[in-house]
Amino acid sequence: MGFRISNLFTGALPRPPWARAACWACLGCALPSACWRVAMMAGADVGFRDAYRYRDSTGGTVYVLALEVIQVGAAVACVGLCRPWGEVVPRWVPGLGGRPIPRRLPLVLGGAGDALLYLVVYSVAFRFARAALSDPPGWTPAQGMSPGQTWVLALAYAPMLLWPAALTVALVGYRRGRA
C-alpha cells in the first residue's frame, strides 16, 4: 500500500482498502453473466431456448460479442480507478503514452457510465420481475429452463445488481485519492 515515486508525478494517493475492494468488485460483478453468455455461445445447454437466435446468425453473434467486449472492458476500466495504469496513459499508445490521465476524465466518464448502469441494470431487473410475477407470466429468459438452469442464470446475473453501487464507491475512492 506504500507511496510510490510515480505518485509524485500523477498526484495520486494510495487508495484505501475499501476503494480497491470496490474497484475489483466491479469486475467480479460483471464476469459471471459474461461467462454465462460465452457458455451459451459455445453451445452449452444453459436452458435459454432462444440461444439459437444468437448462435446461428451473424447479427446475433456480433451483438453478443460486442456486449461482451463492452461489459468486460467497462469492468476492467473500473479496476483502473485503483491501479497505476488508470492514472497514466500506457507507453504503447502513440502520441499520448506516458502522459497523466486528466483527473476529472475518469470521474466524468465513470459517473456517466455509473448512471447508465443504474438505469439499465435496474430497469431490466424490474421488467423481468414484473413479467415473472404477472398473471399470466410474461416473457423472461428463464422460460423453459429447468430449476437448475434457472439457478445458474440467477447466480450469473444477480451480481450485476451490485455493480452500479460498487462503481459509485470506487469513484468516491478515486476522487479522494486524486484530490
Side-chain angles (χ1 to χ4, degrees), residues 125-135 137-138:
F126 177 75
R127 280 196 330 237
F128 285 154
R130 188 177 62 195
L133 297 173
S134 66
D135 189 26

Side-chain angles (χ1 to χ4, degrees), residues 17 36 63 74 88 134 141 145 153:
W36 185 88
Y63 167 77
V88 177
S134 66
M145 289 185 176
L153 176 71

